[in-house]
Amino acid sequence: MGVGADRVAEPCALPDDTGFAELPAAGPHGVTPMSPEVLERVLRGPSGLGTSGLRLAPRIETQAGGTAVPGLYHHPVAEPDPVRVAEVSRRIKDWAVHEVELYPPEWEDQFDGFALGRYMVACHPDAPTVDHLMLATRLMAAENALDDCYCEDHGGSPVGLGGRLLLAHTALDPLHTTREHTAPWAQSLFSDAPRRAYRSAMEYFVEAASASQADRYRHDMARLHLGYLAEAAWAQTEYMPEVWEYLAMRQFNNFRPCPTITDTVGGYELPADLHARPAMQRVIALASNATTIVNDLYSYTKELDAPGRHLNLPVVIAESESCGPREAYLKAVEVHNELMHDFEAEASALAVACPAPQVVRFLHGVAAWVDGNHHWHQTNSYRYTLPDFW
């Protein structure tokens, strides 16, 4: 099979051979309490004739390197395939250096330390080929280049961010204008590293994705950019948000564009009508919010050591609730754990209510992304160290 996704759009119905026929119906509020065995089957893969393609690599009880945040609810996963990691790492660096000139030589150690190959192989265990993995890896590299160069520690600033983000977004969502003004816009896409990376990564993605999948990604990137703008506005006005306000911002400024493309990377398509269902949107949002709090927790000491004030959940909790750093951090762990439990319960209920193969596989993919994201944060000692709270 090539990189392109299978174009299938079946109704939400239960085929006879999915292995889910005996699962209980959802309760009156849409969330059915699941036994550990049923939860594991829904999120990790069904059994029965014709379901082998829906099963992901098993969780394991040990993993190489790194210390998990104590008390953090997570699922250890197998170390990603080293052969795939090496090949994705080689290809993404070649793309970054030779195709888009993503970073100057003095940033090479930071690019290598990000460990994009390990990250994406861990997050997409069902990707059929390295070409599929590269779709996600290029987009991840581009997103992080924009964050660093526009928002963070490589020249970023909240001043004028809206204009920069808008112009970069047109590398994902093309400008449709008069012939006179098309040429300067097209030239502008090569003017800085984020736009070069966005343009190239999106070209590869559009070649593999359906029109619906590409538009879904554009929509989620617009969400991300809106979150960047909210955080920048607070920085400019020195506003300290309430905890609920911060979590609202983080629902936009989060990892959502990454797990939402899990079907494209997996070589299939979750039909647009199933992706748009409110229950599916809630599952994706909960997963994305939980993974973003993981980032807040693991990057906490890194951000404290950086210049200026960086908003993250423990910092906001400490300020809003007038508590010490340790108590605030532990409260942030509790927020993450509640989000994770809600994600798993809602995903299980959705798989029971709508056990179409594409829905079930997509839910597996999102769960795998959540687990792989944690694995990368836990084991990336180049970037992260835990606070001394235990």
Side-chain angles (χ1 to χ4, degrees), residues 23-141:
L23 293 180
H29 300 292
V31 178
T32 301
M34 293 282 172
S35 71
E37 294 79 12
V38 171
L39 178 64
E40 184 70 13
R41 288 184 59 206
V42 170
L43 293 178
R44 294 301 120 198
S47 61
L49 182 64
T51 62
S52 60
L54 300 182
R55 287 196 291 274
L56 301 176
R59 291 171 174 157
I60 59 173
E61 295 307 317
T62 61
Q63 77 190 94
T67 301
V69 172
L72 191 75
Y73 177 65
H74 70 283
H75 303 287
V77 298
E79 184 66 15
D81 177 7
V83 175
R84 280 196 161 189
V85 169
E87 180 61 13
V88 173
S89 299
R90 183 192 68 79
R91 290 196 194 185
I92 192 59
K93 192 165 185 177
D94 183 70
W95 174 80
V97 172
H98 299 296
E99 288 194 44
V100 298
E101 299 179 5
L102 188 63
Y103 59 86
E106 59 267 26
W107 295 359
E108 182 177 11
D109 61 333
Q110 297 175 52
F111 184 85
D112 293 342
F114 201 87
L116 273 166
R118 286 187 71 251
Y119 197 175
M120 293 297 96
V121 175
C123 286
H124 295 284
D126 71 335
T129 69
V130 171
D131 286 339
H132 288 81
L133 284 166
M134 287 302 300
L135 299 174
T137 311
R138 292 187 201 92
L139 290 170
M140 173 64 86

Side-chain angles (χ1 to χ4, degrees), residues 208-246:
S210 71
S212 177
Q213 287 171 317
D215 198 57
R216 179 203 308 171
Y217 180 75
R218 293 185 187 102
H219 186 191
D220 281 346
M221 288 300 292
R223 285 181 163 121
L224 176 66
H225 294 157
L226 179 61
Y228 285 170
L229 290 173
E231 187 171 12
W234 291 343
Q236 282 191 279
T237 59
E238 299 184 348
Y239 177 71
M240 174 58 69
E242 298 294 325
V243 175
W244 73 266
E245 292 176 312
Y246 176 81

Side-chain angles (χ1 to χ4, degrees), residues 90-341:
R90 183 192 68 79
R91 290 196 194 185
I92 192 59
K93 192 165 185 177
D94 183 70
W95 174 80
V97 172
H98 299 296
E99 288 194 44
V100 298
E101 299 179 5
L102 188 63
Y103 59 86
E106 59 267 26
W107 295 359
E108 182 177 11
D109 61 333
Q110 297 175 52
F111 184 85
D112 293 342
F114 201 87
L116 273 166
R118 286 187 71 251
Y119 197 175
M120 293 297 96
V121 175
C123 286
H124 295 284
D126 71 335
T129 69
V130 171
D131 286 339
H132 288 81
L133 284 166
M134 287 302 300
L135 299 174
T137 311
R138 292 187 201 92
L139 290 170
M140 173 64 86
E143 291 163 25
N144 278 277
L146 182 137
D147 189 26
D148 283 346
C149 295
Y150 285 10
C151 308
E152 297 289 346
D153 51 357
H154 285 307
S157 168
V159 179
L161 178 61
R164 297 193 298 276
L165 283 178
L166 175 67
L167 296 179
H169 193 82
T170 67
L172 308 173
D173 199 349
L175 177 64
H176 301 280
T177 186
T178 63
R179 284 184 291 276
E180 177 186 358
H181 299 293
T182 297
W185 162 73
Q187 293 171 3
S188 77
L189 300 183
F190 297 88
S191 61
D192 62 19
R195 279 185 272 189
R196 289 193 299 271
Y198 266 25
R199 181 202 61 80
S200 175
M202 194 64 181
E203 283 187 353
Y204 281 104
F205 187 74
V206 167
E207 288 178 3
S210 71
S212 177
Q213 287 171 317
D215 198 57
R216 179 203 308 171
Y217 180 75
R218 293 185 187 102
H219 186 191
D220 281 346
M221 288 300 292
R223 285 181 163 121
L224 176 66
H225 294 157
L226 179 61
Y228 285 170
L229 290 173
E231 187 171 12
W234 291 343
Q236 282 191 279
T237 59
E238 299 184 348
Y239 177 71
M240 174 58 69
E242 298 294 325
V243 175
W244 73 266
E245 292 176 312
Y246 176 81
L247 292 172
M249 182 273 291
R250 273 310 225 174
Q251 181 163 309
F252 293 83
N253 179 3
N254 73 9
F255 285 111
R256 182 182 178 122
C258 304
T260 201
I261 64 171
T262 188
D263 54 338
T264 309
V265 181
Y268 67 99
E269 180 173 6
L270 177 69
D273 60 331
L274 297 180
H275 175 266
R277 289 186 173 216
M280 180 63 78
Q281 290 294 301
R282 176 164 168 76
V283 166
I284 295 169
L286 286 167
S288 304
N289 292 345
T291 58
T292 303
I293 302 308
V294 164
N295 181 263
D296 276 13
L297 294 169
Y298 279 96
S299 65
Y300 176 74
T301 57
K302 176 174 176 281
E303 293 184 345
L304 286 183
D305 292 339
R309 183 178 67 173
H310 288 256
L311 290 184
N312 57 53
L313 185 55
V315 167
V316 173
I317 290 174
E319 182 75 18
S320 297
E321 301 185 13
S322 300
C323 59
R326 182 180 184 275
E327 183 181 355
Y329 192 93
L330 297 179
K331 286 186 175 184
V333 171
E334 293 175 3
V335 171
H336 166 271
N337 291 351
E338 183 175 337
L339 290 170
M340 274 289 290
H341 289 305

